[in-house]
Structures are given as structure tokens and as C-alpha cells.
Amino acid sequence: MERVVIIGGGGGGAILANLLPEEFKVTVVDKSEVHFFQPGNLWIAFKGVRKEKFLRPLRSLLKPRVEFVHDEVVSVDLNERVVKTASGKSLSYDYVVFASGAELDYGSVPGHRELLERFGDFYSTPENAEKLHASLRGLKEGRFVIGIADPVYKCPPGPHKAAFLSWEFFARRGLSDKVKVVLAVPVPHAYPSKTIADIIEPELNSRGIELHTFFTVNEVDVANKRIVSLEGEELSFDVAAVVPPHRGPSYAVNPAEVKDGSGYIKIDKYTSRVEGFDDAYAIGDCTNAPTSKSGVTAHLQAEVVAARLQGIDARYSGRTNCPLITDGKGLFVISDYDHPPIPVRLSKFKRLMEDFFVATYWSAVRSPELWSPIFRAYFEATDEFIRRGEGW
């Protein structure tokens, strides 16, 4: 039996582990025993949903044949084919897959950690999302500012979802004329893609959400309640949440050259193979692949790696399908390596589709072999829109 060690039991790692057949001895290593559905932070922060809805024991999401090691990885030696953990374990492998996600760096922006401790956020943990919900409930008038500290971050539509959902939060309490929602982005438009920006900017304007472009958070002054941008602009706030800079995994990897300057694992963007190694792969947010850091990316890369380990020449096209929701409608940011995001329209139906994907998440992770044909049919159908450059 070929030994496969998967570092990380998030969506990508767990799906890959469950897709591999019994011919493989699969081990998943993760420092947490709990799997958290990260988009759930938005529902906790802005709708007050209990965090338990988005938590499951990781062991319960893995097939019985998959071994789970609750431990923290401290090093990976790609030449010696061994993964070492904090407890002293040495796990030898025939194949290793990095699936540990991106790490959030709250220490690189002055004042950011203090801001997090004061108000919480919708980005890091369910506990911090609960703290932000409490902070917003206490805000009766003033400014709620959403900022971004670096253009590369998980879930590109996340801050925009936060803006729409927080506006709804205050509107339901009759405070939309007393609390101003402010969205500050580090790009020239409301969204990194001008095509998508043109669709959502009127929605922001119609709700009175204040938009600031070319605003990269560089410093947070919690005492004086102001955020300073790299470009020199300042924003005042009463409550604020900032998406932190990201970096690749902090554990050591030998040779060190397989990481880029930000610590991301360098891979072939089509096969997910680690540069220079035939027995190492990386999927999801921990890689330098030029596509969005999202759950869909990790899922599709997991399917590619599962196929390649079984001798099938599968390739990932760079396909994205990132949901962007307002308070009542939704759209999907659809693109691939060869095509920029296509123009799409907001609709109530797509908002329901997002709810459907959320509802099927746990089953899709636990039994990907059952859901993959359904998702594949959806992607194949919408790929036609990408080729034509038209939305739906």
C-alpha cells in the first residue's frame, strides 16, 4: 500500500483523504481536532448564528480507513520523505500533500492585534466572530469600517459579503441612517475584477455603503479610532474589522526553495505538484497558484490530486466559483486561468444556490464520491459561459 500523508484536515485535505481508495494508506495530520466551516464566520458575526452549526469533529468527517493524527507539523523533509510533528512523531510517506491553508498574520500591521482583541472580526475564528457580533449589537450610531491589509487574501468576496450583511444587520434594527457601513479596498474598483465591480458597486451605492478604493490598511490606531492606509488616507471608525495579511505555512520545509517569498508552496498550477518533486503536492490556500484562495479551488485541486495519485492525467483549469451575496441576492465569480471573471447578474436564485452549497458542505466533505458528479455537471454547464464570455 502506498502511504499518503496529508498535512491539514480542512476542506481540501479531508476531501482528498476521502476520495483516495483502499489501495492507499492515508494519514491526515492536523493540530486541531475540530473542522470549522470558515464562511460560517459571516453568519456568526452578522446574523448571530450559533458557532456550533459550523463545527464538526474532524475524525467524524473522515472515512474509517483514514488515519487521523492530532498533532502539529513542525517540519517536512521532501528529500528524506518524512514529516515530523511537535510530539516527536516521524511519518514516512510515498506521497505528501500540503493542505494546511494560509496563516493569518495579525502582527505585521501596527495596532491590528489590539483591534482584533477589542472588537473581534469575521475572518479568523468563530470566537472572534462572536465578539464582533457583540460589538455590532452595541453600536447604535457611528461608523463600522471593513478594511483589507493586503490584496492577497482568502475568499475575495468575503469583505463585500460582510458589507452587505452588516448593512442588513443595522437596517433590521432601524439603524441604517445612524450607522454608516464603510468598505475600504486596496484595488482601483469595488472588487478586484472590474467586471464584477461594475455589478456590485450600484448595490453598494443604493444602500449607502461608503466605498474607498486604493486603501491598503497600513496602521490601526485603536486609541484614537482611526485607520491609516499605505496610500496616505485616514478613516475614522467606531467599530472596525480588518482582513489581515496572509502567509504560507510556518513549519519548516526542506528544501526551503519550494516556498516563495511569502511562504507559499510553489506548485505547477495545473497538476498541483510541488516544483521539483514527483511525490509531493500542495492544494488550497497554502499554494502560490494564481487563482483565488477559496474552498472551491481546494476542492477541485483535491479531485485532481486524487486522480493523479491513481495514474490519471487530471489537470486543474483554475476554475473559480466564488459566491458573492447581498442581503437578498447573489452571484458567482466565475473564471479560470485563461478567462477573467465573466459578467453575471445578481439574482435571488443564486442566493438560494449559495444556501444549498452551505447546506451540503458536511456531506460533500464526508462523501465526495457522491457529490462530485453533481458538482462536475454544474461546472461543465457553467464552463460554457466562460468560453462564451457571457454570464447567466
Side-chain angles (χ1 to χ4, degrees), residues 58-70:
L58 178 52
R59 174 66 267 178
S60 71
L61 296 175
L62 299 173
K63 304 283 191 187
R65 65 175 180 270
V66 176
E67 179 187 12
F68 172 51
V69 174
H70 177 217

Side-chain angles (χ1 to χ4, degrees), residues 32 68 89-90 125 129 161 178 228 235 241 258 295 305 331 354 389:
S32 175
F68 172 51
K89 291 185 175 67
S90 292
T125 67
K161 292 181 183 179
K178 295 182 179 180
V228 182
L235 288 175
V258 301
V305 173
L331 59 77
E354 160 70 352

Side-chain angles (χ1 to χ4, degrees), residues 97 358 384:
V97 183
V358 172
E384 178 62 28

Side-chain angles (χ1 to χ4, degrees), residues 20-41:
L20 290 172
E22 295 178 353
E23 289 73 21
F24 294 89
K25 183 181 185 301
V26 182
T27 301
V28 172
V29 187
D30 200 298
K31 62 183 178 182
S32 175
E33 290 184 289
V34 178
H35 181 109
F36 175 58
F37 179 57
Q38 293 186 26
N41 278 326

Side-chain angles (χ1 to χ4, degrees), residues 130-157:
E130 288 180 324
K131 184 180 290 187
L132 179 59
H133 183 71
S135 299
L136 295 179
R137 286 187 65 87
L139 184 62
K140 306 303 181 184
E141 60 179 354
R143 292 163 61 83
F144 171 49
V145 176
I146 300 164
I148 302 169
D150 189 272
V152 179
Y153 58 92
K154 295 186 294 183
C155 187

Side-chain angles (χ1 to χ4, degrees), residues 9-302:
I15 287 172
L16 172 59
N18 289 330
L19 281 174
L20 290 172
E22 295 178 353
E23 289 73 21
F24 294 89
K25 183 181 185 301
V26 182
T27 301
V28 172
V29 187
D30 200 298
K31 62 183 178 182
S32 175
E33 290 184 289
V34 178
H35 181 109
F36 175 58
F37 179 57
Q38 293 186 26
N41 278 326
L42 291 163
W43 307 110
I44 297 169
F46 303 116
K47 292 185 176 293
V49 177
R50 291 176 58 84
K51 66 183 179 183
E52 287 75 16
K53 180 177 180 179
F54 305 108
L55 301 171
R56 294 289 188 280
L58 178 52
R59 174 66 267 178
S60 71
L61 296 175
L62 299 173
K63 304 283 191 187
R65 65 175 180 270
V66 176
E67 179 187 12
F68 172 51
V69 174
H70 177 217
D71 208 338
E72 182 175 3
V73 170
V74 295
S75 68
V76 182
D77 193 319
L78 296 176
N79 293 316
E80 299 297 326
R81 291 185 172 183
V82 64
V83 175
K84 293 188 176 181
T85 71
S87 71
K89 291 185 175 67
S90 292
L91 305 174
S92 299
Y93 63 81
D94 297 296
Y95 295 97
V96 66
V97 183
F98 297 90
S100 51
E103 297 185 6
L104 308 182
D105 186 3
Y106 285 94
S108 60
V109 174
H112 193 183
R113 190 172 297 282
E114 184 183 353
L115 180 77
L116 177 70
E117 293 172 354
R118 175 79 174 275
F119 298 115
D121 71 1
F122 59 89
Y123 210 78
S124 54
T125 67
E127 291 75 23
N128 281 327
E130 288 180 324
K131 184 180 290 187
L132 179 59
H133 183 71
S135 299
L136 295 179
R137 286 187 65 87
L139 184 62
K140 306 303 181 184
E141 60 179 354
R143 292 163 61 83
F144 171 49
V145 176
I146 300 164
I148 302 169
D150 189 272
V152 179
Y153 58 92
K154 295 186 294 183
C155 187
H160 305 78
K161 292 181 183 179
F164 287 118
L165 292 175
S166 60
W167 180 88
E168 180 188 27
F169 176 88
F170 293 117
R172 287 178 177 272
R173 288 160 176 75
L175 299 173
S176 57
D177 60 338
K178 295 182 179 180
V179 177
K180 172 67 70 173
V181 176
V182 182
L183 175 63
V185 298
V187 290
H189 319 291
Y191 191 81
S193 162
K194 179 67 162 53
T195 300
I196 303 301
D198 288 344
I199 297 166
I200 66 169
E201 190 161 342
E203 300 291 330
L204 295 168
N205 292 336
S206 70
R207 292 163 176 78
I209 297 173
E210 185 178 311
L211 175 67
H212 292 259
T213 58
F214 285 123
F215 191 103
T216 308
V217 175
N218 192 51
E219 180 185 351
V220 181
D221 183 347
V222 177
N224 295 301
K225 292 190 173 182
R226 66 189 186 101
I227 299 175
V228 182
S229 76
L230 187 65
E231 296 80 7
E233 187 180 354
E234 291 188 11
L235 288 175
S236 63
F237 67 85
D238 293 280
V239 176
V242 174
V243 176
H246 291 33
R247 55 185 172 85
S250 57
Y251 49 79
V253 180
N254 180 46
E257 292 75 23
V258 301
K259 288 186 178 183
D260 69 10
S262 297
Y264 294 112
I265 308 296
K266 294 187 283 189
I267 64 170
D268 178 274
K269 66 181 183 180
Y270 298 109
T271 65
S272 290
R273 184 175 57 82
V274 175
E275 288 187 5
F277 292 86
D278 293 329
D279 55 0
Y281 293 84
I283 62 175
D285 299 343
C286 69
T287 80
N288 72 333
T291 185
S292 65
K293 295 186 181 301
S294 67
V296 170
T297 295
H299 186 158
L300 294 178
Q301 287 175 325

